[in-house]
Amino acid sequence: MKWSARLALAFLLMLVAAAPARAEQSLKATIGVLRLSSSAPVFIAQDKGYFRDEGLAIELKFFDAAQPVAVATTAGDVDFGITAFTAGLYNLAGKGTLKVIAGMSRDKPGYPLIGYFASNKAYAAGLKTPKDLAGKRIAVTQVGSSFHYALGLLADKYGFRLSEVKVVPLQSLSNAAAALKGETVDAALLPISTARPLVESDGAKLLGWVGDETPWQVGAVFASPKTLADKALVTKQLAALTRADREYHDVILATVKDGKAELNDRTRPLLEIIARYTNLPVEQVVGNCAYVDPDGKLDVKNVDGQIKWLQEQGFVDKGLDADAIIADVYVKRD
């Protein structure tokens, strides 16, 4: 065989060998997510190549509030959404435009996630504990958001009406944090990763943690019917996420004590990944480790309770329950 023929054959064999890999790489998808450590498994799966190992090319698109993630997923701007449950998400799901396919973060005792924070002025005037929030001006991202719901749970626990609180929806985490620091509100519900810089710079005071007061299933993974029609894409995405859920749980969460993860040779690589995606120092990330089920399970009973509460407040349409918004073929129930 002539040299040129050998080269041509070798090149052809290379193309054939590369074809399956290119076919796998053609499964592209976009995930809508917030830059919060409550989405740590997403960042781990992306940074460590777990999506790539499943033959996926994933792009992360970042948002500054939960509800816009659900809207973007419905509109097809992203293929998957990973964020907190909101009234808007439930209403979209009730119309058949979204389905929940897995669980993500939870507010659980011992794992700081969402906190109640007071302005310095309000704190000096007597706002010292979460039960003191009755009658105060409180910043949240949006009406019907996860923060609004958590405030409602607190009101139920301590026997005051939610209507006694002046809820101030400011549309984004950064706006809510700025209002708290500027003392235009008395308090705010914020994720720890957003609020910690304020607290550490003496710009606000921590009153307590939602996970200690009223634990609940905060976050989930969801997708539109169009995305769900591609079963290979959904299965591969969930496989990569579950692998990251398990690693995050077994390596980082297993070390959490008094609300902080250990910083050691084993945890540091993962904590550094979370730090890069959340734009925070590793020393802050150790105190921002939200609980995630190691198998990506969803507390369906709790989700059903959320829907019922939001319906009672008029935030979610009637005739809807958890089973109606869940893609049962994918969800692992807790």
Side-chain angles (χ1 to χ4, degrees), residues 45-313:
Q46 180 77 329
D47 202 84
K48 297 195 71 173
Y50 296 166
F51 292 124
R52 185 180 62 246
D53 291 347
E54 292 292 334
L56 302 178
I58 295 292
E59 176 189 353
L60 301 183
K61 185 172 182 179
F62 293 98
F63 293 78
D64 195 30
Q67 195 153 301
V69 179
V71 174
T73 307
T74 296
D77 295 332
V78 297
D79 299 295
F80 298 95
I82 300 178
T83 190
F85 283 111
T86 64
L89 188 156
Y90 286 130
N91 283 324
L92 288 170
K95 292 178 173 63
T97 62
L98 291 177
K99 288 285 186 180
V100 176
I101 57 177
M104 188 53 70
S105 61
R106 301 186 187 190
D107 250 322
K108 185 173 179 176
Y111 300 88
L113 176 53
I114 299 173
Y116 318 93
F117 299 90
S119 71
N120 287 331
K121 181 179 178 181
Y123 188 84
L127 178 53
K128 305 290 187 181
T129 70
K131 65 182 178 181
D132 299 328
L133 288 170
K136 303 297 189 292
R137 286 174 53 85
I138 305 173
V140 299
T141 50
Q142 292 161 327
V143 171
S145 66
S146 56
F147 307 105
H148 196 174
Y149 173 70
L151 182 58
L153 292 180
L154 187 77
D156 290 347
K157 178 177 179 177
Y158 287 112
F160 62 87
R161 293 190 302 274
L162 190 57
S163 59
E164 295 177 36
V165 173
K166 174 59 178 176
V167 175
V168 184
L170 294 174
Q171 308 310 314
S172 73
L173 296 173
S174 53
N175 288 347
L180 184 64
K181 182 178 181 180
E183 300 184 333
T184 58
V185 295
D186 299 311
L189 272 76
L190 292 167
I192 179 56
S193 52
T194 300
R196 189 181 295 278
L198 280 179
V199 174
E200 292 184 347
S201 64
D202 201 28
K205 297 291 190 296
L206 170 66
L207 302 179
W209 300 108
V210 172
D212 292 335
E213 295 283 353
T214 56
W216 65 293
Q217 175 80 55
V218 178
V221 186
F222 48 92
S224 68
K226 181 181 177 181
T227 300
L228 292 171
D230 191 338
K231 293 182 180 179
L233 173 61
V234 177
T235 300
K236 289 172 181 291
Q237 190 255 25
L238 288 177
L241 274 181
T242 303
R243 181 180 175 187
D245 288 341
R246 172 61 64 178
E247 184 173 13
Y248 172 69
H249 179 276
D250 291 353
V251 175
I252 293 180
L253 296 186
T255 73
V256 171
K257 185 178 180 181
D258 297 327
K260 288 188 176 183
E262 290 183 15
L263 185 55
N264 55 41
D265 291 343
R266 189 161 181 244
T267 61
R268 182 179 288 276
L270 295 184
L271 290 167
E272 287 178 344
I273 290 171
I274 300 167
R276 285 197 299 274
Y277 282 88
T278 57
N279 296 326
L280 293 171
V282 171
E283 291 74 20
Q284 286 188 21
V285 173
V286 296
N288 299 351
C289 298
Y291 185 83
V292 173
D293 182 85
D295 298 311
K297 290 180 180 177
L298 182 75
D299 187 341
V300 177
K301 183 178 179 181
N302 183 265
V303 171
D304 203 52
Q306 292 179 41
I307 293 172
K308 286 181 171 62
W309 186 91
L310 290 165
Q311 287 171 333
E312 290 170 1
Q313 311 307 312

